[in-house]
Amino acid sequence: MSNVKAALDVIASKAPDFKAEVALVLGSGLGGVVDAVSDAIIIAYEDLPGFPRPTVVGHGGKLVLGRIGGVAVAVMQGRAHYYEHGRSDLMAEPLETLRELGAGRLLLTNAAGSLLPDAVPGSLMLITDHISLFGPNPLIGYHGNDRFVGMDVPYDPEIGSGLHDAAAKLGIKLFEGTYCWCTGPSFETPAEIRALKVLGADAVGMSTVPENILGRRLGFKVAAVSNITNLAAGMSATPLSHDQTLEMSKDGSANLIKILLQYFSSDV
Ligand code: HPA
């Protein structure tokens, strides 16, 4: 029995007949988004075969099923990162589980450093493209032609414009740009950030790209938003640390909750 089937059985036993429309993955410091979920059924990752055991403070390790603004959501409060285990495919089975649960859209969130001087900590950035040069592709070792995922439109423009509309209605500035996946867990050096700027990066972080690739292979429409917690290395005098990331995630997190509520309520 695959982990996916086993995880679906656990979900069916706790949330019979639940069908998801949207799968949401919450990044560091964004766990509070689950407070916006109504009729929540919470299942610990420990009880879900194939789901990660988060080792990172700020990643809750729970699957929350319920509704945001009337839309059925399956929210992963915490994800697996490449830097935790040296594997970039550890989100494959959870994402497949959520796809089997009915979700057609995958909304990824993360904490990120900004290379845009105007996108200061507390800002949000819609990811419109990404650079993945430093970690292994999560589909390495897969067989079949569906491993050759087209990446010409990596992020779904329709969801992106829905999120832009939601942000505009609320008067919240939503930056947009290219996210560069660096493996972490150490932060980048100032020289690396200068190099990434030349390559076209607008934000930098340690996640999201593997899930985008895995999710697109599964047929999800994928969108992603970065919660900017710092200017990237060398762009400000503030030393970077995970505590700083969590501390600075609060403003962006509060605005992201508002945008999601607005986005989902105009969706039904
Ligand atoms: N770099 C990488 N990951 C991050 C950063 C950063 O500056 N900020 C939050 N996550």
Side-chain angles (χ1 to χ4, degrees), residues 53 69 145 158 201:
R53 306 283 174 269
N145 282 350
E158 214 178 308

Side-chain angles (χ1 to χ4, degrees), residues 80-156:
H81 304 84
Y82 173 66
Y83 63 73
E84 290 173 272
H85 311 276
R87 282 182 56 186
S88 57
D89 64 344
L90 283 178
M91 289 291 280
E93 288 186 327
L95 293 179
E96 194 177 337
T97 303
L98 301 187
R99 184 82 176 117
E100 290 289 321
L101 203 57
R105 281 171 282 173
L106 172 63
L107 239 157
L108 305 168
T109 64
N110 59 45
S114 169
L115 282 76
L116 299 171
D118 290 345
V120 294
S123 306
L124 296 169
M125 188 190 94
L126 179 75
I127 299 177
T128 52
D129 204 342
H130 69 226
I131 298 171
S132 172
L133 295 174
F134 307 112
N137 192 295
L139 298 178
I140 288 172
Y142 276 62
H143 295 194
N145 282 350
D146 64 356
R147 77 186 111 168
F148 300 112
V149 177
M151 294 300 287
D152 38 340
V153 187
Y155 294 87
D156 186 73

Side-chain angles (χ1 to χ4, degrees), residues 111-114 187-188 204-206 229-233 240 245:
S114 169
F187 286 93
E188 302 71 35
V204 64
M206 306 178 193
T229 53
N230 56 279
L231 288 172
L240 302 186
T245 297

Side-chain angles (χ1 to χ4, degrees), residues 30-255:
L30 288 161
V33 171
V34 298
D35 295 343
V37 179
S38 56
D39 307 325
I41 295 170
I42 300 170
I43 310 175
Y45 287 176
E46 279 143 47
D47 297 331
L48 287 166
F51 277 60
R53 306 283 174 269
T55 65
V56 186
V57 176
H59 283 256
K62 291 181 193 118
L63 177 66
V64 180
L65 307 172
R67 306 186 84 79
I68 300 183
V71 175
V73 292
V75 187
M76 288 189 68
Q77 196 187 31
R79 56 154 58 86
H81 304 84
Y82 173 66
Y83 63 73
E84 290 173 272
H85 311 276
R87 282 182 56 186
S88 57
D89 64 344
L90 283 178
M91 289 291 280
E93 288 186 327
L95 293 179
E96 194 177 337
T97 303
L98 301 187
R99 184 82 176 117
E100 290 289 321
L101 203 57
R105 281 171 282 173
L106 172 63
L107 239 157
L108 305 168
T109 64
N110 59 45
S114 169
L115 282 76
L116 299 171
D118 290 345
V120 294
S123 306
L124 296 169
M125 188 190 94
L126 179 75
I127 299 177
T128 52
D129 204 342
H130 69 226
I131 298 171
S132 172
L133 295 174
F134 307 112
N137 192 295
L139 298 178
I140 288 172
Y142 276 62
H143 295 194
N145 282 350
D146 64 356
R147 77 186 111 168
F148 300 112
V149 177
M151 294 300 287
D152 38 340
V153 187
Y155 294 87
D156 186 73
E158 214 178 308
I159 306 177
S161 74
L163 292 169
H164 265 307
D165 288 349
K169 279 203 185 98
L170 294 161
I172 297 171
K173 167 98 182 146
L174 184 59
F175 289 85
E176 64 174 43
T178 298
Y179 174 90
C180 180
W181 175 40
C182 290
T183 67
S186 57
F187 286 93
E188 302 71 35
T189 66
E192 285 164 349
I193 293 300
R194 289 196 298 277
L196 294 179
K197 184 88 192 153
V198 175
L199 293 182
D202 300 306
V204 64
M206 306 178 193
S207 67
T208 301
V209 167
E211 292 125 85
N212 169 285
I213 296 169
L214 292 164
R216 297 198 57 253
R217 174 182 164 273
L218 291 167
F220 277 109
K221 290 180 171 176
V222 183
V225 178
S226 285
N227 182 15
I228 300 298
T229 53
N230 56 279
L231 288 172
M235 292 175 64
S236 98
T238 311
L240 302 186
S241 68
H242 190 58
D243 286 345
Q244 195 263 354
T245 297
L246 293 178
E247 176 58 29
M248 294 311 295
S249 66
K250 290 174 188 154
D251 289 354
S253 176
N255 278 340

